[in-house]
Amino acid sequence: MDARRALEVGLVNAVVEEGQQIATAVEMAEELASMAPLVLRTIKRFVRKTLPKGPSELMLEAQMEIGGIAASADKREGELAFAEKRAPLFAGR
């Protein structure tokens, strides 16, 4: 399977020109680093826990994880920062 086909079927999330791999990886890493740490930790934990599970098990796991984020200080900070048109200051809580 070539890179374009892998992108089409969702196996990869980007295809870049040769020689641009590092620059693209740095851009992606910077984007991830700017996100709320609580959300990133939750996503990583969720992926590790759910890969071997079926759809009904996944739904319950997702609901539990999202509930924790919805009640977080980082969620409130994200909403406030958006309303104030500024970058959020996430604390991972």
Side-chain angles (χ1 to χ4, degrees), residues 13-89:
N13 59 358
V15 176
V16 299
E17 296 297 322
E18 190 167 338
Q20 294 300 309
Q21 298 93 330
I22 299 297
T24 302
V26 168
E27 287 175 16
M28 290 176 161
E30 288 171 345
E31 182 180 347
L32 288 171
S34 73
M35 294 178 180
L38 179 64
V39 174
L40 290 176
R41 280 195 305 269
T42 300
I43 290 169
K44 285 192 237 181
R45 185 175 56 247
F46 181 73
V47 168
R48 278 190 226 106
K49 286 176 19 179
T50 61
L51 282 177
K53 297 185 179 179
S56 59
E57 292 173 296
L58 293 176
M59 182 58 73
L60 179 60
E61 294 274 350
Q63 289 172 339
M64 291 171 39
E65 295 287 355
I66 291 168
I69 292 171
S72 72
D74 275 359
K75 177 185 175 277
R76 290 187 295 281
E77 167 59 14
E79 292 170 340
L80 184 60
F82 179 79
E84 294 175 353
K85 297 181 177 22
R86 63 173 173 80
L89 301 170

